[in-house]
Amino acid sequence: MLDESLKERMDAFRVLVLWQKDGSFIKESGLSPFAMELALGVCRRHLYLQYFLKTLVKKMPSLEVATVLEMGLFQMFFMEIPDHAAVSTSVELAKAANLQEGSARLVNAVLHAARKSGLPALPPQKVRRVSIENSVPEWLVRRWFDIYGGTRAEALAKATLERPVEWIRVNLQKTSAPVIAQKLGITGASILYDRYIQVPADAKLKTILESESFAKGEFSMQNPSAYEVVKLLDLKPGLKVWDACAAPGGKAALMAEMDASLDILASDVSESRVLKMRDVVDRLGLTNVRVECVDVLGGVAGALPAREGSEQRKRASEGETSPFDRILLDVPCSNMGVIARRPESVYRMTPESVKELAELQYSILQAASAKLAVGGILVYATCSPDPEETTKIVNRFVKENSGFEKVGDAVLPGAEDSRFDGFFAQALRRK
């Protein structure tokens, strides 16, 4: 039987190995707060920890042993854990994980060597140094240097290592921000737009999410950048709105909370994600949101079964004939603007995948725009500021579709406030 400390490290180890083997999302693994901090931390600094490890061994060990070593190095140099505890628990982890013979001795020797040598010198070449120091692939750092210049590129790379600020979005249909702050014991709360509460860095998220207020739908977790995006829709009472790539449903829920008279269709192409989205809508008690599984590029992918007594959901399977007054298009993207929140994304990206995503994004924009009413507004949004996925898409669309025009300037909330996610959004009007 593993003690609690070793069990948490074993959980983090398993999740990290799964991530490296099949790209599993770490945040969806249900880890304890300590195990999550350890797993996400190792993921965020993976390239640096690999670089460090290569200075300590003649030959790189297996993925599993390397993961134990990266966890040990991260605890020694980036967490407030005594060196002796980081070494001993790593050795015990190697034994408990039943790794190949001699692994525990290797882990012990390498971590003692790291303790003696300290952090390694970084490469002199600037792009390579920024890449290693911040665990951002070299091709991406070079891309940022080319687009933004050295100073901004380095700042973007450093930001990927920051622990993102968490925010509570209060459901103003049920309560108020000061009341929720008091219920959750958040003193001197920073409140934005009367509905967003900044979560203190030392607060326990698990406790917040297990609170009665959360279960009753009095609040959700959401970054205020979502509000900046939704504002561009210029919502008016009674409008028909389509959130076309809606999962996990945060922005659709925000719109419904802002105005109960809106008629909102929240759809996504993934049936499993749509089922989760319906749970969110039900928890919040939103009666003006219909949920449906829709492939924007190919029509209805399958309506969800209606729950008894819900006329909104019964109508969801009937398809849409009349156009929408507003469309929110938060398209699938590289996640380049939220790497700190989703550190796995940086290792999945390639120059080719960004180009492929851009083509998909344009196709989705082209298809969804056909459902917009004359005079209606469509907001194109991504959680990436990269020109390939943002301004180039919008400019190409307006050039090839003379019936549409830009409305105002694009917004980039993360560029204005470091607490905000790195979204891009541009409003378009059908003439």
Side-chain angles (χ1 to χ4, degrees):
M1 186 74 176
L2 302 178
D3 66 34
E4 189 59 30
S5 172
L6 187 54
K7 183 184 178 299
E8 288 187 306
R9 286 171 170 83
M10 178 63 83
D11 289 343
F13 167 76
R14 285 175 179 147
V15 166
L16 283 165
V17 169
L18 273 176
W19 156 61
Q20 291 175 85
K21 286 185 173 179
D22 64 17
S24 299
F25 281 100
I26 292 171
K27 275 206 167 182
E28 294 176 1
S29 56
L31 294 175
S32 69
F34 172 82
M36 184 64 76
E37 182 183 0
L38 179 54
L40 284 176
V42 170
C43 181
R44 279 197 190 101
R45 295 189 183 268
H46 179 55
L47 293 184
Y48 179 83
L49 293 169
Q50 280 192 323
Y51 174 81
F52 192 174
L53 191 50
K54 285 174 183 173
T55 67
L56 300 166
V57 297
K58 292 179 180 177
K59 180 186 174 185
M60 281 295 281
S62 68
L63 182 148
E64 289 79 8
V65 175
T67 300
V68 173
L69 285 165
E70 285 186 44
M71 290 171 65
L73 292 171
F74 182 77
Q75 290 170 82
M76 289 170 70
F77 293 94
F78 301 104
M79 290 180 81
E80 293 179 1
I81 291 173
D83 287 355
H84 66 85
V87 174
S88 62
T89 54
S90 297
V91 170
E92 290 305 309
L93 176 59
K95 291 176 182 175
N98 295 318
L99 304 181
Q100 59 263 43
E101 190 178 348
S103 296
R105 288 195 302 275
L106 176 65
V107 167
N108 185 60
V110 171
L111 293 183
H112 274 295
R115 187 180 181 183
K116 187 176 178 181
S117 70
L119 295 172
L122 291 164
Q125 200 275 332
K126 191 168 186 181
V127 170
R128 175 93 173 125
R129 175 183 62 75
V130 172
S131 168
I132 295 298
E133 189 174 21
N134 303 288
S135 285
V136 177
E138 200 168 330
W139 73 267
L140 186 52
V141 173
R142 194 170 297 282
R143 184 186 187 94
W144 289 348
F145 266 73
D146 291 342
I147 294 171
Y148 307 110
T151 304
R152 175 76 178 136
E154 193 159 1
L156 284 171
K158 285 183 186 301
T160 66
L161 297 177
E162 297 295 325
R163 190 180 299 180
V165 176
E166 299 290 350
W167 292 83
I168 286 166
R169 186 193 75 234
V170 179
N171 184 353
L172 297 185
Q173 289 189 14
K174 295 191 173 189
T175 184
S176 68
V179 168
I180 288 296
Q182 186 177 23
K183 280 185 178 182
L184 298 176
I186 299 174
T187 55
S190 173
I191 298 174
L192 289 181
Y193 314 129
D194 294 328
R195 69 175 70 234
Y196 286 94
I197 304 171
Q198 184 175 340
V199 178
D202 59 351
K204 289 181 169 57
L205 272 183
K206 190 170 184 283
T207 304
I208 289 172
L209 293 172
E210 288 175 349
S211 67
E212 186 182 3
S213 290
F214 183 79
K216 286 182 173 179
E218 292 179 347
F219 70 87
S220 301
M221 304 301 295
Q222 185 182 57
N223 193 275
S225 57
Y227 187 78
E228 295 290 332
V229 172
V230 165
K231 272 200 305 187
L232 295 185
L233 287 165
D234 189 25
L235 296 170
K236 303 281 195 287
L239 291 182
K240 183 179 178 183
V241 183
W242 182 23
D243 187 351
C245 304
K251 294 184 187 68
L254 168 61
M255 290 187 282
E257 291 170 8
M258 288 168 67
D259 188 343
S261 75
L262 296 171
D263 177 14
I264 301 169
L265 171 63
S267 70
D268 200 86
V269 70
S270 164
E271 192 167 337
S272 62
R273 296 185 81 206
V274 169
L275 287 168
K276 291 177 183 176
M277 185 160 63
R278 186 172 71 175
D279 289 339
V280 169
V281 169
D282 287 346
R283 179 179 64 80
L284 295 170
L286 303 172
T287 58
N288 59 327
V289 180
R290 296 175 286 134
V291 178
E292 192 171 355
C293 193
V294 174
D295 180 354
V296 178
L297 299 176
V300 176
L304 291 172
R307 293 191 182 179
E308 193 174 352
S310 175
E311 291 303 318
Q312 299 277 4
R313 288 195 178 85
K314 287 176 184 173
R315 290 194 289 119
S317 63
E318 296 173 7
E320 296 293 332
T321 52
S322 60
F324 293 91
D325 303 303
R326 300 287 188 269
I327 296 176
L328 175 59
L329 211 55
D330 185 0
V331 295
C333 71
S334 66
N335 293 315
M336 219 178 280
V338 288
I339 293 171
R341 196 175 296 284
R342 301 171 191 163
E344 306 98 328
S345 62
V346 78
Y347 304 108
R348 285 200 298 269
M349 268 183 257
T350 64
E352 293 72 32
S353 72
V354 174
K355 283 190 173 66
E356 288 168 7
L357 271 170
E359 285 305 313
L360 174 64
Q361 291 157 350
Y362 188 80
S363 298
I364 292 173
L365 174 55
Q366 191 75 17
S369 67
K371 302 286 187 182
L372 186 67
V374 173
I377 293 173
L378 180 154
V379 170
Y380 174 84
T382 71
C383 48
S384 166
D386 192 277
E388 188 94 25
E389 303 178 78
T390 57
T391 50
K392 287 184 180 180
I393 300 281
V394 170
N395 291 340
R396 177 186 167 191
F397 177 78
V398 172
K399 185 178 178 182
E400 295 181 6
N401 295 270
S402 58
F404 286 82
E405 62 186 357
K406 294 181 190 177
V407 183
D409 296 326
V411 299
L412 291 135
E416 303 297 325
D417 190 326
S418 63
R419 298 173 300 170
F420 286 11
D421 287 343
F423 267 87
F424 165 95
Q426 173 70 61
L428 300 163
R429 180 187 289 115
R430 187 165 207 159
K431 298 177 188 176

